[in-house]
Every structure is written in structure tokens, then in C-alpha cells.
Amino acid sequence: MNVTLVLLIVLFAVLAIIGVPLALALGLSTFVSLALTTDMLLVVIAQKVQLGADSYLMMAVPLFILAANIMNYSGVTERIFRFARALVGSMPGALGHANVVASVVFAGISGSAIADSASLGNIEIKSMEDQGYPTEYAAAITVASATIGPIFPPSIPLVIYAGIASVSVGKLFMGGVVPGLIIALALMALNHILSVKNKYPRDERMTLRQIWDCFRESFLPILSPAIILFGITFGWFTPTEAAAVIVLYAFILGFFVYKELKLSYLPRIFKETMMTTGIVMFIVAAANAFSYVLTICKLGNVLTDMAAAMPNAITFIIVVNILLLILGMFMESTAILIVITPVLVPVAQAMGIDLVYFGVMMVLNLMIGLATPPFGMGLFTVSQVAKLPVEKTVKAILPFIPVLLVVLLMIIFIPSLVTWLPSVIM
């Protein structure tokens, strides 16, 4: 089995380096390594691929994606940004602050960093450019603030982690609230410093009536995360049912409240949802087979033995975070989460680490990878939106990375930042 493990890892690394799509790299390395080094029936691979996507909980993923797409076509994104801008208009670097605040609000709808970057990014970057902000700075803060999406509830990565680790989705969602707010405050603090230094503009102060009007326009979309959190917490519906409720809620807002969603938009919405879902679930399915091979090769036992040799749990957590940061620079976060979680969770349990804390910490770490060169997906997405060379976005994002790492260190060394809210409410 050691030969199988070595071949699996080497093949996957080679395929990833030469640019083979991630899902294919996971699937091909799994198939070839088992076919060449074992006498296992290869139908097992097909079964594991199918089981990876055949999950009631995973049905929440396409539903959350659909809800976010419906909101985008319903004028919700513009309303959220206007409200965020009204709140912080008179502060230095106002549009940078609005960028972060809007990401917090939109996080409660999409649950995805890439969805946040793509949908809000268009509005945010154009508005900042029109006010005289450098395009690369607008792109950088958009990438950095998008990391809030998968931390603040709802969160597609946390749903995936919950399905693998058998942890309460409600507790994970609650556990992400405080870290998400801390990230927002940290990014706003840095934006303030850079805005004062570079003399970035501020908006005119709005009257209370204007702020109230913006709030009233965006109030119903802002209710989305509350519906999800309270519905799951009080047992009104499961996470998958919550996602379905939000889809229905989005349709009602688009068709009957704002009346900006048209029937002609639906084919495009469904097409975009299916394409995004297909990519995500293809990775989920292939990664499930890949992680199965890691399991039968007893990689978990090896890691458990290594962890037992460590002086304490915090040392293990630090090692895990270093590993995830390195992987996050080169691989897609969903694949890392699916492959690594089945291996690390039993070790974390054996060391007495709270799995809600462990999951939020892992997801935060991997979201930093979206904003980290050389292959952070957020960098490429926002660079395309901003029509900016990736290298310029990479240079501009560098001041934001240490801030995100400081927040990660806070989560690592103060677990109560994650566990306090779930323990109080649930």
C-alpha cells in the first residue's frame, strides 16, 4: 500500500503541475495508482465517485449557488452595495469600507468567495475606479474581502466539511459569525490606514433619512442569513431545506418585491448554476475517491502516530495550518478540504480538538489561499473582472495577506472566538 500512496501523490502532483483540470487529476491519479499496484476491482472507484456526490446534505450546494444567482439578477447586489456605501460614506477610503461591508452582507446570501468576487466585484471595482482609486487597489480589497464569504454563514465549504466530518452545520455556521466579523474589522482598519496615507476620497455624509431609505431597500436580502441561522438553530428545517427556502425567498424578492427578475433570465440563471455546480460536484466526487485511497493506505494512522509524538494539540494545529497554507497557494480549496478532512478529523478527535473550531479554522485558512499567489482563484477571478494583469493584483494584495494571517492566528490561539456563539445559542 505504501507504493500505492507514493504513486497516487506523485501522479496527482505531476498532473496538477502540467495543468490537467483538478477533478481529472484527482480521478486519473486514483484510477492509475489502484490499477497498477493493487488487485482491487476498479468498480470500487466508480462507487466512491458516485457516493461523493450522492449526499442529501450536498444538495444544499447547488441550491445556495442558485439563490445567489437569482439575487444577482434581481438587483439585490446593487442594493446591498448602496446600503454599505451609505453606512460608511463619510469615512476616509469610504468605498473600500463599503466593499468590505457589502461582502459581509452578500456572504449571507452566496456562501462562496468566488461568487462574491464575481458578482459584487463588477459594481465595487467600477465605483472605486470612478472615484479615482487605483484599479489594482480596488481589485485587491475585493479579493481580500471575498474571503469573508465562506466564513460568514451560510457557507458552502462549511457544508462540505460538515458532510465529511459529521458535524452540525448549524454549529459551524454559528462558529463562523465572529471570525467573519473580525476579518471585516481588520480589513477596514487596514483600508483606513492606506486611505489616509494615500489620500483616497470619501463620500459625502448621508442624512439619516437617506441611510434609512438604503436600509429599507436592502432589508429583505439582509434577512437571508437570519432565516438560515434561526431556521437551522431552532430545528425548523435542515441545511438543505434552508437552502431551498432561500431559493424560494430569492424568487419572491426578484419577481414580486423588486420586480426586476424576468422569466427570460431564468435559462441563463439555471445555466450558470448548473455550470458552477458541475465544477464543484465533479471535484467533490473525484476527491472522495482520492481520499478513499488515502484512507486504505492508512495515511491517517501515520498522521496519528506523528501527532502522538507532538508535545501538545496546539503544535499539531500549527503544523496543519502551515500545511494548508502551502497547499492553498497551489490547489483549489474545495479539493483540499475534501481530500484532507477525512484524514485530519480522526487525528483531531483523538487529540481532543473541538471539530467545530477545527472546521472553521481550516476553511479560514483555505480562504486565505484564494487570495494568495501564485494560484489563488480569487486573484484570477477579480483580475478578469477588473481587466487587470494578474501580476498587478498580486502586488496590490500583499499588504492584505498579513492582516488575514493575523486573524487566522487569533482563531488558532483563541478557540472561544469560534466556539462561544454556538455554545451560547445551541
Side-chain angles (χ1 to χ4, degrees), residues 99 106 146 167 265 300:
N99 193 316
F106 196 74
V167 180
Y265 295 166

Side-chain angles (χ1 to χ4, degrees), residues 60-69 72 102-121 142-160 173 276-277 280 332-334 363 367 370 377-378 381-382:
V61 174
L63 289 172
F64 279 130
I65 294 170
L66 176 59
N69 285 336
N72 282 338
S103 290
V104 174
V105 178
F106 196 74
I109 299 171
S110 72
S112 165
I114 300 302
D116 190 339
S117 301
S119 55
L120 277 173
T142 300
V143 175
S145 65
T147 60
I148 300 169
I151 304 299
F152 202 81
S155 164
I156 291 173
L158 286 178
V159 169
I160 293 172
F173 281 2
T276 305
T277 301
V280 173
E332 204 275 330
S333 57
T334 304
V363 170
M367 292 311 104
L370 290 175
M377 287 291 293
T381 301
V382 173

